[in-house]
Amino acid sequence: MHKTIYIILLALCFSKVSAQTNEQPNIIFFLSDDQRWDTFGFMGNEHIITPNCDKLAENGIVFTNAYHVSPICKPSRASLMLGQYLSTHRCGFDQPTMYTISEDEFSQSYAVQIRKAGYFTGFVGKFGFPVTEDKIFNADKISHTEKRDAKSQLWLQDECMPKDEYDLWYGFAGQGVYDVNGKHGTEHRGDQALNFIQKAAQQEKPFALQVSFKAPHSPFQPDEKYLKLYENIDIPRAPNDTEEAHNQLPAVVKEKYRGRNAYSDKKYQAFIKKYYALITGLDVVVGRVMDELLMLGLDDNTIIIFSSDNGYFCGSKGLAGKDLLYEESAKAPLIIMDPRLSKQQKGTSINKLTSIIDLAPTILDYASVDIPHAMEGRSLLPLIDNPELEIHEAVYGENHFANFAPLFEELSKDEQADYSSVRSRFIRTPQYKYIQYYECRPMIEELWDIARDPSEMHNLVNNPDYQEILEKMRQLMADYRPEKTKN
């Protein structure tokens, strides 16, 4: 009874917001960490519990061919915020992209631009990349054999977080932890998100909030109450979690990729249940936010976007981790729920190619804010209005994380002769994906017919019937590379 009275009084306190008729909508952007694109009930996964994300999909639009531009947290999060490729902003973990984001660069981010346009802004959770006064090289000549400490990794430093660029800052540097003052970190971030919404509801302006979860990133430590939901079931392995799929990987991946350890059946069940339970925990936070918006009368003018910073192999191809450019790592979940969508639009999917760097310009477009010239992504609003439109001929991505192996150009000619690393790039068209491990000698190429072979089991590079397509993909890669096109 007392709880009911409290809710009624709180709603009355904020009753003025239900009368808001701003043309500019409120925007909430949920970003999960290491969540692969198919770990939702609405994607046909019968074993994971995600009722609130499923509700977002039911009332919004699902983009089924969205791709990361660099599937590992720091560069991906910088790309999301700036709407740029890694080769443009160069803020990553490994050579040659080990720079910070300068304050001038960050001033062109969607977060700063939307605040300048009058939005009340907030950030909750893992920020993921460093912002410094000038653009600086984050660490000089780090070897994979040398210990990396906090001094050399500025994204771990609280003073490199752009707190002053937000009206309310609940972010943190580094990876963060799951135990926050005796409460699970995901639940704590939910509390912070609700706190922001309640304060934003008192403003005479629209709001924009980014909630960046640590979940389901390692260490896999879910709330026990969500882990119990999975204790009496066996979760099946992916169809390409096989020895055959692993054996087809390039030698450089099997020998040098950091996540090449396969799971035994027992270890797989222990891992996947924790991974799913972490996702269920963040799904609960999504539901709490949706309930709060409804209670405060903000639900009919608040757009909710859900995505992740990168995928995760979860045993596919006998691999753990991310970084590499196969579908499990490079493909992104993406939901946009706009309450103003027509009845015909709600619950639909769009299969046209989209890139994660499209989100920053999309958010600004929703807010009727000019999109900075520095952004390389494209607004998704024209595609939402016309799902048959193609806003990208192809989408591009790259992996510069090679566990701090030397760069090819640093080596002598003798050393270059048989060098290999997992640094790579991909180009994806509506039907095909082409991957280059460009530092390998000879260069390793892969051509996949994703439309017919979504698990990437049949490399077509040496198939004589696909040589014309291969040449077209090579040329498209050469033309599309950001380092060839940026000003």
Side-chain angles (χ1 to χ4, degrees):
M1 175 64 109
H2 293 298
K3 184 177 180 181
T4 302
I5 293 173
Y6 168 76
I7 292 173
I8 292 171
L9 290 173
L10 188 62
L12 287 173
C13 289
F14 295 121
S15 60
K16 66 175 182 179
V17 302
S18 63
Q20 284 184 337
T21 57
N22 290 318
E23 291 184 4
Q24 293 174 296
N26 306 310
I27 301 168
I28 297 177
F29 176 24
F30 290 111
L31 185 69
S32 58
D33 193 331
D34 285 8
Q35 185 177 3
R36 58 186 275 169
W37 63 278
D38 56 357
T39 51
F40 302 89
F42 69 83
M43 289 303 302
N45 188 324
E46 299 176 355
H47 303 280
I48 197 163
I49 302 167
T50 56
N52 297 297
C53 286
D54 297 346
K55 186 175 179 181
L56 284 181
E58 181 182 347
N59 291 286
I61 296 174
V62 176
F63 295 80
T64 58
N65 275 313
Y67 282 85
H68 299 291
V69 297
S70 185
I72 182 171
C73 61
K74 187 201 290 186
S76 180
R77 287 164 186 260
S79 290
L80 280 161
M81 190 71 75
L82 298 171
Q84 293 179 344
Y85 296 104
L86 170 57
S87 289
T88 300
H89 62 72
R90 298 177 294 162
C91 180
F93 284 112
D94 205 346
Q95 299 184 79
T97 51
M98 297 179 70
Y99 291 84
T100 62
I101 297 298
S102 70
E103 290 178 358
D104 281 347
E105 287 177 302
F106 194 68
S107 71
Q108 299 301 299
S109 67
Y110 93 80
V112 174
Q113 291 295 310
I114 204 169
R115 188 185 186 203
K116 285 183 177 178
Y119 269 68
F120 184 77
T121 64
F123 190 93
V124 170
K126 175 180 173 180
F127 192 74
F129 62 92
V131 178
T132 54
E133 183 177 0
D134 299 311
K135 193 173 189 69
I136 59 175
F137 197 63
N138 197 22
D140 188 26
K141 300 290 185 182
I142 290 180
S143 165
H144 69 284
T145 61
E146 294 174 330
K147 183 178 180 181
R148 293 178 291 151
D149 59 25
K151 291 181 181 179
S152 68
Q153 295 293 296
L154 295 178
W155 74 288
L156 304 175
Q157 299 299 308
D158 191 60
E159 60 266 27
C160 294
M161 298 292 100
K163 306 174 188 179
D164 293 341
E165 298 294 353
Y166 293 87
D167 292 298
L168 286 178
W169 170 266
Y170 298 114
F172 58 82
Q175 291 287 11
V177 295
Y178 281 123
D179 185 355
V180 182
N181 299 323
K183 179 176 285 191
H184 195 274
T186 303
E187 184 179 359
H188 179 66
R189 303 306 165 203
D191 294 344
Q192 292 175 316
L194 296 192
N195 185 264
F196 170 85
I197 292 169
Q198 290 163 8
K199 291 182 178 180
Q202 302 175 59
Q203 308 297 315
E204 297 293 339
K205 57 174 72 173
F207 67 78
L209 170 66
Q210 181 169 331
V211 182
S212 291
F213 298 102
K214 175 179 174 63
H217 194 286
S218 65
F220 304 106
Q221 298 170 343
D223 191 315
E224 285 296 321
K225 62 177 172 285
Y226 302 126
L227 185 58
K228 287 181 180 180
L229 299 174
Y230 295 94
E231 63 183 0
N232 295 319
I233 63 170
D234 282 335
I235 298 172
R237 304 179 79 137
N240 64 347
D241 182 358
T242 63
E243 187 175 352
E244 177 191 4
H246 184 75
N247 289 339
Q248 291 181 13
L249 290 168
V252 66
V253 174
K254 290 186 283 187
E255 294 169 5
K256 296 187 176 182
Y257 174 57
R258 62 176 179 152
R260 59 189 180 275
N261 297 321
Y263 300 102
S264 66
D265 287 339
K266 183 176 180 180
K267 286 184 177 180
Y268 173 77
Q269 289 300 324
F271 153 73
I272 200 68
K273 289 178 182 180
K274 292 177 181 178
Y275 182 76
Y276 278 19
L278 282 165
I279 293 171
T280 296
L282 68 85
D283 182 84
V284 169
V285 171
V286 172
R288 290 177 63 195
V289 168
M290 292 166 68
D291 289 345
E292 188 75 10
L293 293 171
L294 178 62
M295 187 183 73
L296 298 178
L298 296 167
D299 57 305
D300 60 354
N301 195 39
T302 301
I303 293 163
I304 298 177
I305 300 171
F306 189 104
S307 190
S308 72
D309 62 351
N310 51 258
Y312 211 73
F313 281 106
C314 298
S316 290
K317 300 181 185 293
L319 302 174
K322 58 251 184 173
D323 315 347
L324 300 181
L325 304 176
Y326 302 112
E327 293 289 275
E328 296 81 11
S329 174
K331 195 170 184 179
L334 179 55
I335 314 166
I336 296 181
M337 195 286 292
D338 181 349
R340 304 166 304 175
L341 290 170
S342 69
K343 184 177 180 180
Q344 291 73 27
Q345 289 174 303
K346 292 181 179 180
T348 61
S349 60
I350 292 176
N351 64 5
K352 300 299 182 181
L353 291 173
T354 55
S355 174
I356 214 72
I357 62 171
D358 295 332
L359 289 183
T362 299
I363 289 170
L364 293 179
D365 204 3
Y366 268 128
S368 301
V369 178
D370 290 340
I371 298 168
H373 178 71
M375 288 189 177
E376 296 172 298
R378 298 177 181 176
S379 171
L380 297 176
L381 267 61
L383 183 57
I384 290 172
D385 290 338
N386 179 10
E388 297 305 311
L389 188 67
E390 290 192 3
I391 63 171
H392 294 291
E393 177 188 9
V395 291
Y396 173 89
E398 55 203 308
N399 170 41
H400 289 186
F401 191 84
N403 216 19
F404 306 98
L407 292 171
F408 181 80
E409 55 264 31
E410 294 177 338
L411 304 172
S412 68
K413 287 187 177 181
D414 288 341
E415 291 172 320
Q416 289 177 350
D418 59 354
Y419 183 65
S420 64
S421 86
V422 295
R423 291 189 182 96
S424 46
R425 49 189 169 232
F426 81 90
I427 198 84
R428 169 79 156 92
T429 64
Q431 183 163 356
Y432 299 100
K433 184 203 280 184
Y434 172 62
I435 296 175
Q436 292 178 344
Y437 290 91
Y438 58 87
E439 284 193 325
C440 295
R441 290 299 178 270
M443 185 171 72
I444 295 171
E445 299 176 287
E446 296 174 327
L447 178 65
W448 310 101
D449 186 341
I450 299 297
R452 297 180 180 178
D453 180 25
S455 294
E456 296 166 309
M457 295 290 290
H458 306 287
N459 184 7
L460 302 171
V461 161
N462 295 319
N463 187 321
D465 295 336
Y466 288 84
Q467 292 310 295
E468 184 177 348
I469 292 170
L470 176 61
E471 287 301 322
K472 289 180 180 178
M473 297 298 282
R474 286 170 174 162
Q475 187 60 52
L476 191 58
M477 174 79 81
D479 293 340
Y480 209 87
R481 282 164 53 189
E483 60 265 34
K484 292 231 179 222
T485 59
K486 67 177 181 175
N487 293 326

